[in-house]
Amino acid sequence: MSHAFRNLIAFALLLSFGLFGEARPQAGGNRSIFGDLRVDESKVSGVKTISFEVILYSQGGMRLDHQWVGANGRYRFFVVTGIYYLAVEAEGIEVARLRVDMLSPLVTTMQRDIELEWRPKPGSEKKARPGVVSAADLYKRGAATEKLFSKAEEAIDKKDYHQAVLYLRQILELDPGDYQSWTELGTVYLIEQKSADAENAYLKAIQIQPAYLLALIDLGKLRLGLKKFDGAIDILTRAVKVRPDSADANYLLGESYLQIKKGSLAVGYLNEALKLDPIGMADAHLRLAALYHGAGMKDKAAQEYEQFLKKKPDYSDRKKLAQYIAENKKH
């Protein structure tokens, strides 16, 4: 899903992965994702504190649960093993999204704190929507289709997905080569849980522009969620070739290889993701640790858990990982 910003005020997102305090799952062995939502309003005046909607999505983009949280409040979701995405919306506009990996057998609770900061938006009053148009992939539209694209953006921001589809379809009737509109159409279909339509739209986008990274990664995520692992590997391999410096593309490709039990191939891509984004991709250490543990290489698993704790020293299940390290790391 694309991010959106208001005309006068923009959210500057700071994802804080510190794991403050100790939290345990409730009785019954439940696994949970929780965190504090902190909002800094010190840089602007006249901004009222509002409630935020925290939304839990599956890896494939399905909306699973949501909670309303006040500024400086706490959210919590109970989950099963898997990969999830957390999104934060303010007045119907998505202002934050982050990935949460709950695949490790030793991870029962995961804290993901989110910090938002209100800032006056510099420059033009026109909405900027990162993830839709980047400087490297700027698509030049005519006046008619540009107007329709803006209307589609507004409809998506308002969650009027049916209307967004109509606008995007009108654009594509006028200009079938608009690969960014094909990508947006795929995203809207994904939100509506029309996975086959979403896949076809993403495929159309990369058929027109094979180097469009956003469509490649979105299609890779979709296929992972649908358990089309070979197809995910095919498209994510292309994404890595287009942008070898994309931590997301490397991580997702590594995850795809893990799913088909080709750990030797997964290791290289997960390590590359860590090299490119050591903090943001710290969860890759958990995936590598789970891989090594399953292969009986507990010493290497302990090393990965140790690296993870160095980056996330306040991790809520730190004691459990520390015990594993103490029992299995060779000195």
Side-chain angles (χ1 to χ4, degrees):
M1 181 186 295
S2 340
H3 299 290
F5 295 82
R6 295 202 231 169
N7 287 346
L8 299 179
I9 300 291
F11 272 116
L13 172 62
L14 302 171
L15 294 182
S16 172
F17 294 101
L19 305 170
F20 304 101
E22 192 73 16
R24 313 307 306 175
Q26 293 182 349
N30 289 325
R31 299 159 67 81
S32 65
I33 302 169
F34 74 99
D36 295 326
L37 178 65
R38 304 186 183 97
V39 183
D40 181 358
E41 299 179 350
S42 63
K43 294 184 179 180
V44 293
S45 60
V47 178
K48 296 180 180 179
T49 301
I50 58 176
S51 294
F52 298 83
E53 187 177 12
V54 183
I55 306 168
L56 179 72
Y57 289 97
S58 70
Q59 184 180 13
M62 181 178 295
R63 181 178 170 129
L64 302 175
D65 199 357
H66 74 109
Q67 293 176 10
W68 288 95
V69 180
N72 305 310
R74 171 166 286 194
Y75 70 88
R76 181 184 294 273
F77 297 107
F78 291 96
V79 299
V80 296
T81 301
I83 294 174
Y84 298 89
Y85 288 89
L86 289 171
V88 181
E89 293 189 2
E91 298 179 8
I93 297 173
E94 184 175 312
V95 295
R97 181 172 285 241
L98 64 152
R99 173 192 173 102
V100 183
D101 187 330
M102 292 293 290
L103 292 168
S104 172
L106 295 185
V107 176
T108 57
T109 60
M110 180 70 74
Q111 183 168 352
R112 284 293 185 261
D113 293 335
I114 303 171
E115 295 182 5
L116 299 174
E117 182 180 33
W118 284 102
R119 292 181 183 174
K121 183 181 176 182
S124 169
E125 291 186 357
K126 183 178 179 180
K127 285 185 179 181
R129 306 183 73 239
V132 178
V133 181
S134 69
D137 295 300
L138 186 60
Y139 188 82
K140 295 182 180 179
R141 298 184 182 85
T145 53
E146 184 62 36
K147 185 176 181 179
L148 286 168
F149 192 82
S150 295
K151 289 182 177 180
E153 289 182 301
E154 292 174 5
I156 293 171
D157 292 343
K158 295 175 182 177
K159 300 183 180 179
D160 188 351
Y161 303 125
H162 175 73
Q163 187 61 56
V165 169
L166 293 179
Y167 285 135
L168 291 167
R169 280 294 182 187
Q170 289 180 54
I171 293 171
L172 295 167
E173 287 177 5
L174 295 169
D175 182 6
D178 188 341
Y179 56 88
Q180 289 173 350
S181 290
W182 280 111
T183 303
E184 280 291 272
L185 183 61
T187 299
V188 176
Y189 280 144
L190 186 58
I191 294 169
E192 295 183 319
Q193 300 181 29
K194 298 178 180 178
S195 57
D197 290 334
E199 185 170 14
N200 288 333
Y202 290 139
L203 284 169
K204 187 66 176 179
I206 61 175
Q207 178 184 346
I208 298 166
Q209 175 49 276
Y212 191 39
L213 184 67
L214 179 61
L216 291 166
I217 286 184
D218 284 351
L219 179 55
K221 289 179 181 177
L222 172 60
R223 287 180 170 176
L224 263 175
L226 295 173
K227 301 187 184 301
K228 296 181 177 180
F229 301 126
D230 289 336
I233 288 169
D234 174 66
I235 211 70
L236 291 167
T237 298
R238 291 169 60 179
V240 169
K241 288 180 179 178
V242 168
R243 284 287 301 275
D245 61 342
S246 169
D248 283 334
N250 279 278
Y251 186 103
L252 290 167
L253 183 53
E255 178 64 35
S256 299
Y257 277 121
L258 280 182
Q259 294 297 328
I260 62 170
K261 304 188 184 304
K262 291 189 176 180
S264 59
L265 293 174
V267 167
Y269 291 108
L270 292 173
N271 279 320
E272 183 65 17
L274 284 165
K275 178 181 176 182
L276 292 165
D277 188 357
I279 303 300
M281 292 293 155
D283 287 353
H285 289 298
L286 299 178
R287 297 301 289 131
L288 289 166
L291 171 65
Y292 292 137
H293 176 82
M297 303 168 68
K298 294 186 177 181
D299 174 48
K300 296 197 72 171
Q303 293 176 36
E304 293 296 335
Y305 283 133
E306 189 172 45
Q307 289 298 311
F308 175 78
L309 290 180
K310 286 180 180 178
K311 297 173 183 178
K312 308 289 181 67
D314 296 314
Y315 174 56
S316 57
D317 267 342
R318 180 183 179 87
K319 290 182 179 179
K320 183 178 291 185
L321 297 190
Q323 181 179 353
Y324 184 97
I325 294 166
E327 292 174 351
N328 294 286
K329 184 179 177 182
K330 296 178 181 177
H331 299 284

